[in-house]
Amino acid sequence: MADTNPIVSRFTGTAHDGEPVAAVYLADPQSGAALGLAFHGGELPRIIHWGRPLAAPETLLDAYDALNPQRVSGALDCTPWPSVMPTQAESWIGEPRLVLRRGGVEIFPKFTVTGIELSDGGSDDDPGAVDVTVDFDSSTGPQTVTDASGRTRTTGPSEVPGVIVHAEDAELGVGLDWQAQIVPGGLMRQRATVRNLFGGGDDHADRGADRGAEPLEIGKVELGFPVPATATEILTATGHHLRERSPQRQPFTVGRFAKPQLAGRPDFDASLLLTAGVPGFDFTHGEAYAVHVAWSGNSELSAERLPYTQGVIGGGEALFGGEITLGGPSGEAAVQSAPPAQSYETPWLYGSFGDGLNEIAARFHEYVRSRHPRLFAHGRPVILNTWEAVYFQHDFDTLKALADKAAASGVERFVVDDGWFGSRRDDTSGLGDWQIAQDVWPDGPKSLKALADYVHGLGMQFGLWFEPEMVNPDSDTARAHPDWILAPAPGRLPMQGRSQQVLDLTNPDAFAYIFGAMDGLVSELGIDYIKWDHNKLVTEAVSPRTGKPAVHAQTLAVYRIFRDLIRSHPGLEIESCSSGGGRVDLGILEYASRIWASDCVDPVERADIQRYTSLLVPPAMIGEHVGASPAHSTHRATSQELRMAMAFFGHMGIEWNLLKEPEAALDELAVWVDEYKRHRDWFVGGTVAHGDDADPAVRLDGVVRPDRAEAVYRFTQLTTGQTYPAAPVRLPGLDPSRVYRVTPLAPCLGLADPANPAGIANGQSALGWWTADGVRMTGEALERYGVRPPSLHPAQAVLFRVVAE
């Protein structure tokens, strides 16, 4: 049996120019991923391999001579060959990737490597090992957790294989620590720490004092991964409110493509991944490489190619001037009560690769699942959220009756949305006053606590909506504490959005108020679940307390509230919602239990919103809800079958006033919820399998069991198609050597019957395999040739099941 233990190797030798050369090789055979670095003399390393494990990693030692470009006319003495931190000192003349200033003057460091630390993840005292805390709620100590896919993990700190490279420019007083790891799923990740050597109380600091050195301002630190010359096409996403994750493609030409996000969050237009690959790469085929910045504040993704170099894809945090100053007052210090910072640590930049987007996504999914083993130990509970059911019209009797309908439909978690606090009867006032509104929820038998108890008595969990980072100017909190609001200048607030401003959580008093209010309500009401919203773009974000931009420190404060609430209340889950899908990233997913993909629950729009969100997020952590028809956001009328089918693979929920629906609709809802529950335990660990279709009118999406013994696929006919009836669809992800039986999923069995005029199909003769017995085919045939789906009307979908025999 092949060894599946992590591999960390170092090789040394001499380059053709007589300088010492070294290679470092990290590999995780279990996930099929490896990273190779080449060191020459005292220079920063180059990434010379990221992809599948190598048969002879010792050959990396020759990579420096094999890949080092020659000097050419009209250029500097060394042709650019980007290191892990390109600078002009190593001839990088592209967009600056490291911007540092002292006293407002830009400096240009030249780094020399001073040390290399390696870790194979097997030694507790290895200085190169960095703890990765799995399922960070350690209130009950380490536990062994088996997730629904059969993977066993131990909670608490663990180690992963990696390398840390220490470097510095002693003359300019700048230190650099660059770190790379291979984490579960085969993701590569890297981050850098920039240190101010002229401010730490050592010989460097004394030298800086002698020179009267100013504090070190961090303007930018952007990391990257090189991609092969064949990666000539870029895939990103764009979007806006109610239409997140809309894919867009373009050539990867010489020059720079960047996607900055400066709204204090990733925002709707964020591209969760920036992917570069061979022309025409898609979900099931094509060599491709993707990056993601794990940060919930301002950030930027980029792709850049110079005439001298192969392409580099990467990104980092986007910083405002003066936001991070090392050796002077820091906004972060206000949150952590720490002395002035002497170092800045970047967010992790993640890299994934694969033959098609499905493999790239599977690596991200495995990593996210590894962070939350308890969450993935079983299927996700069905949710009802009250927002589109009642909006701000709260009262005990209505929500009690809605809870009864929810429980009867199979709902397991009942979430009360906006409108329960302060003067919040609409969105213009009361936000920030986190006290239960007595005029809506008076103490006694019709209190919010009484509703929570009633929900618990029905066997459901109870959830509550908060928007902790925001405040209405028309609120008691804003009137009492105007200095708690981020503002660019005294007496002037930023442009409002939804009648809101942003609380300065870097202010210890504001932080303590928000955390205390939430912590107290979780205990008082027995809250099991928090829907955490974030509805205003964060602009002109200056802290009145420090006079400096505060997005970086604000983001750290948000992480701290998430972390501390979960540690104080074991089992509490928190959803990241931000006007829908405005804050979706691996930074928040270290803490959040799920994300809300979009405020639009129209299933036609959701087809691609959910598909492209799942490139990063496992569907079990994506809120996918059954809404009303017509949809509140688009006024499009759709069938209940489509709405059910589109919510089937994710964290299923209901965003619908069940009190106004006929019993027939509720009965159908209960059937679909029950069918979801039959599969959800393996859905949480399954492999997402999106299909590639030449016809833009159709979508094929599925989830395959980890052992490939079963799969469920959804065929969606969004509009009328190029082919009529629809062409056969290939089913990716199956074992080619096994025989499978393909049958309609039970709730869909009669939907394609031409004898049923109320059905969703338009075929005029029977579809031969659309029966309870179905057909038997090999996995190879299903993936190569596929099956012909029913001929459907536009905006309809069906699901079918594939089971190995």
Side-chain angles (χ1 to χ4, degrees):
M1 176 179 288
D3 186 5
T4 60
N5 292 321
I7 299 169
V8 177
S9 304
R10 181 175 180 177
F11 311 97
T12 59
T14 304
H16 81 287
D17 60 4
E19 287 289 319
V21 65
V24 168
Y25 178 69
L26 311 177
D28 180 9
Q30 184 171 354
S31 61
L35 181 72
L37 304 173
F39 296 78
H40 175 259
E43 300 168 358
L44 290 173
R46 275 93 175 177
I47 297 174
I48 51 175
H49 174 76
W50 65 299
R52 306 189 195 284
L54 299 172
E58 68 276 7
T59 60
L60 287 174
L61 196 57
D62 287 332
Y64 180 81
D65 285 340
L67 299 175
N68 187 23
Q70 294 176 284
R71 184 174 66 248
V72 293
S73 63
L76 297 171
D77 283 354
C78 291
T79 300
W81 182 17
S83 73
V84 295
M85 191 70 263
T87 63
Q88 288 200 350
E90 61 178 48
S91 72
W92 175 258
I93 55 172
E95 177 75 11
R97 304 178 82 86
L98 178 66
V99 178
L100 306 174
R101 299 182 181 91
R102 289 193 189 275
V105 178
E106 191 151 340
I107 61 174
F108 300 92
K110 177 179 175 59
F111 292 108
T112 300
V113 172
T114 59
I116 303 171
E117 301 177 31
L118 302 179
S119 167
D120 62 6
S123 172
D124 289 338
D125 57 1
D126 188 333
V130 173
D131 283 344
V132 176
T133 301
V134 177
D135 205 23
F136 58 87
D137 168 25
S138 57
S139 58
T140 56
Q143 294 181 342
T144 298
V145 179
T146 301
D147 66 22
S149 67
R151 176 70 61 83
T152 298
R153 296 183 174 90
T154 300
T155 64
S158 63
E159 295 175 350
V160 296
V163 58
I164 302 176
V165 179
H166 303 287
E168 64 179 41
D169 182 326
E171 291 302 311
L172 294 180
V174 181
L176 178 72
D177 302 317
W178 180 84
Q179 182 177 2
Q181 297 176 343
I182 301 179
V183 295
L187 289 183
M188 318 293 180
R189 68 178 186 180
Q190 55 172 298
R191 70 181 176 192
T193 300
V194 179
R195 293 176 285 116
N196 180 15
L197 301 182
F198 287 171
D202 54 16
D203 291 341
H204 290 298
D206 294 340
R207 186 184 308 172
D210 292 342
R211 298 179 179 181
E214 297 277 355
L216 181 67
E217 180 186 339
I218 309 296
K220 182 180 186 180
V221 184
E222 183 177 322
L223 302 173
F225 290 93
V227 294
T230 54
T232 58
E233 185 173 81
I234 300 171
L235 171 67
T236 57
T238 182
H240 52 70
H241 187 226
L242 308 178
R243 195 177 187 270
E244 299 87 342
R245 317 302 168 239
S246 178
Q248 58 182 9
R249 291 178 182 259
Q250 63 191 73
F252 189 177
T253 56
V254 172
R256 179 178 170 90
F257 171 83
K259 283 276 290 181
Q261 304 298 331
L262 297 174
R265 64 187 191 186
D267 207 41
F268 315 119
D269 184 46
S271 184
L272 303 186
L273 305 183
L274 184 151
T275 306
V278 298
F281 72 89
D282 219 320
F283 286 97
T284 64
H285 70 279
E287 179 186 3
Y289 302 83
V291 288
H292 170 80
V293 177
W295 184 243
S296 308
N298 291 336
S299 64
E300 180 167 296
L301 283 170
S302 69
E304 188 166 11
R305 176 176 278 129
L306 304 183
Y308 310 98
T309 69
Q310 64 196 83
V312 178
I313 59 175
E317 181 180 9
L319 296 167
F320 290 121
E323 191 165 4
I324 300 293
T325 302
L326 307 182
S330 169
E332 183 177 347
V335 178
Q336 299 182 346
S337 299
Q342 299 301 329
S343 65
Y344 162 72
E345 184 177 84
T346 71
W348 286 108
L349 174 70
Y350 285 81
S352 183
F353 66 92
D355 183 15
L357 294 167
N358 285 341
E359 185 180 0
I360 286 174
R363 298 188 185 280
F364 282 107
H365 295 176
E366 173 58 18
Y367 173 71
V368 174
R369 285 193 289 259
S370 78
R371 310 300 292 140
H372 300 275
R374 291 189 181 96
L375 193 69
F376 286 90
H378 47 74
R380 308 299 292 126
V382 178
I383 285 182
L384 184 140
N385 188 68
T386 65
W387 179 242
E388 289 195 5
V390 299
Y391 291 102
F392 290 104
Q393 305 306 307
H394 288 201
D395 68 78
F396 179 87
D397 292 332
T398 298
L399 292 189
K400 175 177 177 290
L402 185 60
D404 288 333
K405 292 286 189 182
S409 299
V411 170
E412 298 154 307
R413 178 180 286 165
F414 187 85
V415 182
V416 176
D417 211 289
D418 193 358
W420 56 267
F421 53 91
S423 59
R424 188 76 166 178
R425 307 291 79 79
D426 58 32
D427 65 3
T428 64
S429 73
L431 188 62
D433 297 338
W434 299 112
Q435 297 82 37
I436 298 170
Q438 289 296 300
D439 58 329
V440 177
W441 298 103
D443 292 339
K446 294 191 175 184
S447 66
L448 190 58
K449 178 64 165 67
L451 179 68
D453 291 345
Y454 185 78
V455 167
H456 285 138
L458 292 174
M460 295 188 292
Q461 297 178 354
F462 180 75
L464 197 62
W465 181 94
F466 289 87
E467 193 173 0
E469 299 151 84
M470 305 297 167
V471 63
N472 287 133
D474 183 8
S475 66
D476 293 341
T477 298
R479 284 185 285 270
H481 303 285
D483 57 317
W484 286 6
I485 300 176
L486 294 175
R492 180 169 73 85
L493 292 175
M495 182 180 293
Q496 287 194 173
R498 206 188 179 199
S499 302
Q500 293 180 194
Q501 295 293 345
V502 183
L503 280 177
D504 180 8
L505 294 181
T506 74
N507 183 310
D509 294 333
F511 182 97
Y513 163 69
I514 292 297
F515 178 81
M518 297 181 74
D519 182 59
L521 284 164
V522 172
S523 296
E524 177 187 344
L525 300 177
I527 294 171
D528 305 290
Y529 181 86
I530 289 173
K531 179 180 177 181
W532 181 309
D533 215 338
H534 177 285
N535 283 311
K536 182 191 179 296
L537 306 184
V538 181
T539 56
E540 302 178 274
V542 176
S543 168
R545 186 170 182 270
T546 65
K548 294 185 176 183
V551 175
H552 175 84
Q554 181 90 350
T555 304
L556 294 178
V558 169
Y559 290 163
R560 182 181 165 195
I561 296 177
F562 267 77
R563 182 184 66 241
D564 290 355
L565 282 172
I566 294 169
R567 284 179 171 169
S568 298
H569 304 279
L572 176 69
E573 294 187 16
I574 306 178
E575 170 187 321
S576 173
C577 174
S578 190
S579 301
R583 184 154 63 189
V584 181
D585 64 272
L586 290 188
I588 206 69
L589 284 172
E590 291 290 318
Y591 310 102
S593 302
R594 82 166 193 167
I595 59 95
W596 182 228
S598 177
D599 280 346
C600 179
V601 295
D602 177 333
V604 174
E605 300 297 324
R606 276 285 185 135
D608 279 350
I609 291 172
Q610 292 172 184
R611 172 178 267 217
Y612 286 91
T613 300
S614 75
L615 288 180
L616 180 73
V617 186
M621 295 181 79
I622 301 175
E624 300 182 1
H625 287 192
V626 180
S629 178
H632 291 194
S633 55
T634 64
H635 289 202
R636 179 190 278 122
T638 54
S639 70
Q640 187 169 340
E641 290 79 11
L642 177 64
R643 283 147 42 219
M644 302 291 188
M646 199 54 63
F648 199 74
F649 293 136
H651 188 176
M652 179 181 273
I654 298 166
E655 196 87 11
W656 193 9
N657 190 349
L658 304 184
L659 298 174
K660 295 184 177 181
E661 296 303 316
E663 285 302 316
L666 299 183
D667 290 343
E668 184 178 357
L669 173 64
V671 167
W672 279 85
V673 169
D674 185 63
E675 187 68 24
Y676 165 77
K677 291 178 179 179
R678 295 178 193 275
H679 304 279
R680 64 178 173 181
D681 278 350
W682 66 263
F683 275 0
V684 297
T687 302
V688 175
H690 298 297
D692 295 324
D693 297 290
D695 189 342
V698 303
R699 303 288 185 274
L700 188 284
D701 308 286
V703 180
V704 183
R705 284 183 73 108
D707 60 5
R708 297 199 287 182
E710 183 178 359
V712 176
Y713 294 94
R714 177 180 60 224
F715 172 76
T716 307
Q717 184 80 46
L718 289 177
T719 66
T720 57
Q722 296 172 341
T723 303
Y724 185 58
V729 288
R730 296 178 175 186
L731 308 185
L734 301 173
D735 184 339
S737 65
R738 299 172 84 169
V739 173
Y740 293 89
R741 184 172 295 275
V742 188
T743 59
L745 201 68
C748 297
L749 180 58
L751 297 181
D753 184 354
N756 177 12
I760 64 174
N762 55 32
Q764 297 182 3
S765 63
L767 184 65
W769 69 273
W770 202 260
T771 67
D773 293 332
V775 290
R776 297 171 69 249
M777 297 180 71
T778 65
E780 181 180 10
L782 288 169
E783 188 153 10
R784 186 181 297 273
Y785 307 111
V787 294
R788 189 179 294 275
S791 182
L792 301 179
H793 292 299
Q796 301 290 358
V798 291
L799 293 125
F800 47 95
R801 187 181 180 202
V802 180
V803 180
E805 295 191 337

